[in-house]
Amino acid sequence: MGNIGNIILASVRKRIPITLNGTQYLPTNYKFSLKDPYILEALPEGSIDKFVKFENQNLNKVCQTLNNLTTSKGFSEGELKALYLKAFPNIKPPSDANIDAMVYLNSLSGKIGQNFDAHGMAKGTISEQLKELNKLLTNGIDKTKNFFTAPLALPAEAIQGAGAGLGTAGGCAYRSGSFILVGEKSKLIEESGIKHVIVNDAYYKIINDLQRRFPEINFVRADKATEYFTKL
């Protein structure tokens, strides 16, 4: 998808009239919109969900971002330390960190949550979880190792006995860690990759930093996750 921005711009220019001197002028305030048939025409089949987050943003800026997706690089060791200090200026996370996912995801309908394959990052310390997230988003999932996933939520009637089968509490992805990785709707993470990351309250302060570094991923606050996935 590295050149998709250029493809979109080329498609949009089809609707821009050519002036008498043979040039085309794309308005600087032209917005990216999934209601624009020329933009829709340029998107890869079945990929609309990936572009919802760009709705109503400046078209030129969106296209520049899309062109740079394949060159996304993870954070360096020094940058990770700076992010950790931004999240925890006093070095040590509070004892009640990472509560929001357990509280707010309880209101997510199981009929909706069962459509999203997820992996809760609950192992290790909070700082180690940030490093592991950076590694996974930079290098991808190591397919030579076990990578357990489970539904983001389940209907009540499906929960009984599901935990034992999936190796998780209550059959759903763990919610007690700093991040929950989520795949594309109705697809396994192993098939479609990581599409969304629910960020728990420990790292709310660095969500914008994560989003800028990995623009192809949708980062969602845990306290907004129910609303977000319900809309999807």
Side-chain angles (χ1 to χ4, degrees):
M1 200 164 63
N3 294 316
I4 189 64
N6 291 336
I7 295 172
I8 292 173
L9 283 174
S11 182
V12 168
R13 286 194 178 99
K14 294 178 183 177
R15 70 180 299 175
I16 306 298
I18 300 176
T19 63
L20 292 176
N21 62 4
T23 60
Q24 285 180 301
Y25 174 70
L26 180 66
T28 56
N29 62 347
Y30 199 104
K31 302 293 185 181
F32 179 94
S33 174
L34 292 175
K35 296 179 182 179
D36 187 320
Y38 291 90
I39 291 177
L40 285 174
E41 177 185 83
L43 302 183
E45 186 176 353
S47 66
I48 292 178
D49 286 352
K50 300 176 184 178
F51 299 90
V52 171
K53 62 185 176 184
F54 297 116
E55 185 70 22
N56 208 36
Q57 294 183 30
N58 181 273
L59 179 65
N60 278 314
K61 290 183 179 180
V62 170
C63 290
Q64 288 173 10
T65 297
L66 293 172
N67 283 336
N68 290 330
L69 289 185
T70 54
T71 59
S72 291
K73 293 182 180 180
F75 295 100
S76 67
E77 189 67 28
E79 289 173 325
L80 286 173
K81 289 180 180 178
L83 286 177
Y84 186 80
L85 286 174
K86 183 176 181 179
F88 307 106
N90 296 322
I91 305 296
K92 188 176 181 179
S95 59
D96 61 347
N98 287 337
I99 297 297
D100 279 6
M102 291 187 286
V103 173
Y104 289 94
L105 282 175
N106 281 335
S107 61
L108 177 64
S109 164
K111 292 183 178 180
I112 293 173
Q114 67 183 351
N115 295 306
F116 293 95
D117 191 37
H119 172 83
M121 299 180 63
K123 292 183 179 180
T125 65
I126 288 178
S127 63
E128 289 170 345
Q129 289 165 10
L130 177 60
K131 293 179 181 179
E132 183 63 16
L133 176 73
N134 182 59
K135 180 180 177 181
L136 285 169
L137 297 185
T138 303
N139 303 323
I141 297 168
D142 185 351
K143 295 186 178 181
T144 66
K145 298 180 180 179
N146 289 330
F147 187 80
F148 297 105
T149 62
L152 188 57
L154 281 171
E157 62 271 18
I159 292 178
Q160 187 173 7
L166 293 169
T168 61
C172 302
Y174 289 116
R175 302 173 178 179
S176 58
S178 301
F179 308 100
I180 304 174
L181 313 180
V182 186
E184 189 173 334
K185 183 180 177 181
S186 301
K187 292 185 180 180
L188 297 175
I189 291 178
E190 188 177 15
E191 298 171 347
S192 65
I194 300 164
K195 303 300 178 184
H196 318 273
V197 174
I198 298 174
V199 181
N200 217 348
D201 54 83
Y203 284 116
Y204 281 171
K205 292 180 181 179
I206 66 166
I207 285 183
N208 289 338
D209 301 276
L210 293 169
Q211 188 66 75
R212 283 192 294 269
R213 185 57 57 96
F214 301 104
E216 71 277 21
I217 304 293
N218 301 305
F219 291 88
V220 187
R221 286 173 57 111
D223 59 355
K224 305 293 183 183
T226 292
E227 179 183 1
Y228 176 82
F229 286 99
T230 299
K231 287 182 178 179
L232 286 185

